[in-house]
Amino acid sequence: MNAPLHTATTAPEGQAPQVQTLEGVLHPHPGESVLETLERHGHHVEFQCRSGYCGACRTPLLAGKVHYAAVPLAFVSQGECLPCCCQPVGAIKLDIRKG
C-alpha cells in the first residue's frame, strides 16, 4: 500500500520544499520531517511519538501537500497534517506560530 498524500488548497507544483508558518517561510533540510524543520527554527510543537501513532502534533494544513513515508496510525482529516512524520511536497502553509 502506498503512503497517503494529504492535501489542502492548491499550491504551486514543482516548487522547492518550504514550510510557511504565521511568522514566515522555513526551508527544510533534505529528509527532515516538518516537525524537525519547525523545531530547528524555534517552534515548540506538542508531540508524543514522532511516528504518527498518537496524533498529538495534528496541525491545520492551510495549503499544499505533505507526504508520509509510512501510513500514520493516527487519524488525519483533509486540511490537517502530522508534522512529526510528514515532509512537504513543494510549498505548504501551516496554521502555526512560535510558542
Side-chain angles (χ1 to χ4, degrees), residues 19-43:
V19 178
Q20 182 178 351
T21 67
L22 298 175
E23 280 90 15
V25 175
L26 313 177
H27 300 280
H29 290 163
E32 190 172 59
S33 72
V34 172
L35 177 60
E36 292 166 334
T37 301
L38 292 167
E39 289 177 328
R40 191 167 45 80
H41 288 90
H43 288 265

Side-chain angles (χ1 to χ4, degrees), residues 2 8 11 23 32 40 54-55 59 61 73 79-80 93-94:
N2 289 338
E23 280 90 15
E32 190 172 59
R40 191 167 45 80
C54 72
T59 301
L61 177 63
L73 294 177
E80 293 180 332
K93 183 175 183 180
L94 302 177

Side-chain angles (χ1 to χ4, degrees), residues 48-62:
Q48 295 294 319
C49 68
R50 288 190 183 263
S51 63
Y53 180 76
C54 72
C57 67
R58 187 175 285 110
T59 301
L61 177 63
L62 301 177

Side-chain angles (χ1 to χ4, degrees), residues 1-6 66-72:
M1 172 171 28
N2 289 338
L5 189 68
H6 284 255
V66 295
H67 172 74
Y68 296 92
V71 177

